[in-house]
Amino acid sequence: MGVNASTLVAGEVTARTVKLTRAVLPAGLAEGPLEAIERQVGRRQHEARRSEQQNLDEVTKAAESVLNRVVVEIVDMLDMEQLIDHVPINRVVARVDLPAVIEEIDLSGIVREGTKGLGGETLDNARSGLMAMDQWSAGLIDRILRRREPRDLSPDWNGANQPDAVISGVLT
Amino acid sequence: MSRHRDIRSERAQELQGLRAGFFSRAVASGTDVILVLCVYVGAVVVASIAWDLFFSNSISVSAPPHWLNVLILWIVLVVYLASGWHFAGRTLGKQMMGLRVVFSNGSRLRFPRALLRATLCATFFPVLLLAIVDRRNRGLEDVIFGTVVSYDWLPEVSEPLTAGQMDGQLEIEVREMSVPVAR
């Protein structure tokens, strides 16, 4: 980390020096070497910054890991029963505005939606069951009457206009 | 939070808009009859009690004569069926079973035609039996009045579905909240 910092400082100093030199020397004389130096300094600075960021991330991770372990160890050492005995739970609960909490959660909305969904699903199941019975009975009758072609269930709107509500074969 | 269901069963999706079979129609019709019967019985009980409250010393539920019961039930059933088919394309029973009645050109039934169809259906229930054997699932009332009864599970007036509702899952809003504290 120290090496990276010194590299960054040296790079910054070099960059300013190059800028100063460019201002002092004639353009034709200094342009080539100065550009090469600038490129080199820029590359070094970039590498140093990347390395510094990587180091920072690793240090953060290590610190988090150590903190987690320490906190877990401390919590394990605590006697929870005794701790709870010292916490005035009733006073804490008394300060919570329960009606407002329930209003925020919108319990009635959740219950309403859940009931509606269940009702709809039950209704769909009943409809599906009757639909299946329709098809089964039609198939049975057709077999008894020795019909070879299946029933024509298309509404066949007199070959004319479909109702406005019909979209993709579904009446809506 | 308003939302509409999607049809989950693929087979049911395929059959939407096609002619409905006998069992679905019979259950829908039966539901309508039971519904009218319940409403009539309730009305008779309420009317009888109300009458006794004003004009009698004791409260009792008196049954009208049988012929009057049958006549009123028949009239109520005819009016109920005709109104449902004319105004909504379906009665409550058909709504429950996901069916719709339309004219053969796809338009909604006009009231005179709906009334005649209802009269036939309420007078002679077995007209529906033809749907068992007919190649196009038509009852006698469909043949006579040129009507079509089709599967139609979705409500006529529907709000657009949002992407989150398309999979038919319940969508429950989860709000970020802080615990309000009374001060």
Side-chain angles (χ1 to χ4, degrees), chain B residues 60-116:
Chain B
S60 63
V61 177
S62 53
H66 180 67
W67 67 269
L68 189 60
N69 280 334
V70 173
L71 181 66
I72 295 175
L73 265 176
W74 182 82
I75 292 171
V76 172
L77 187 60
V78 168
V79 172
Y80 163 73
L81 292 176
S83 309
W85 296 338
H86 171 66
F87 292 111
R90 55 176 107 206
T91 54
L92 286 175
K94 284 195 162 52
Q95 167 75 42
M96 203 177 85
M97 288 301 116
L99 305 177
R100 173 191 291 277
V101 186
V102 287
F103 190 49
S104 55
N105 66 3
S107 64
R108 198 170 284 174
L109 263 67
R110 291 192 174 184
F111 194 74
R113 189 181 291 266
L115 196 64
L116 287 173

Side-chain angles (χ1 to χ4, degrees), chain B residues 140-162:
Chain B
L140 188 60
E141 71 276 31
D142 297 322
V143 176
I144 293 173
F145 297 105
T147 50
V148 174
V149 180
S150 55
Y151 295 113
D152 177 16
W153 290 14
L154 298 177
E156 185 177 22
V157 181
S158 57
E159 293 168 14
L161 288 167
T162 63

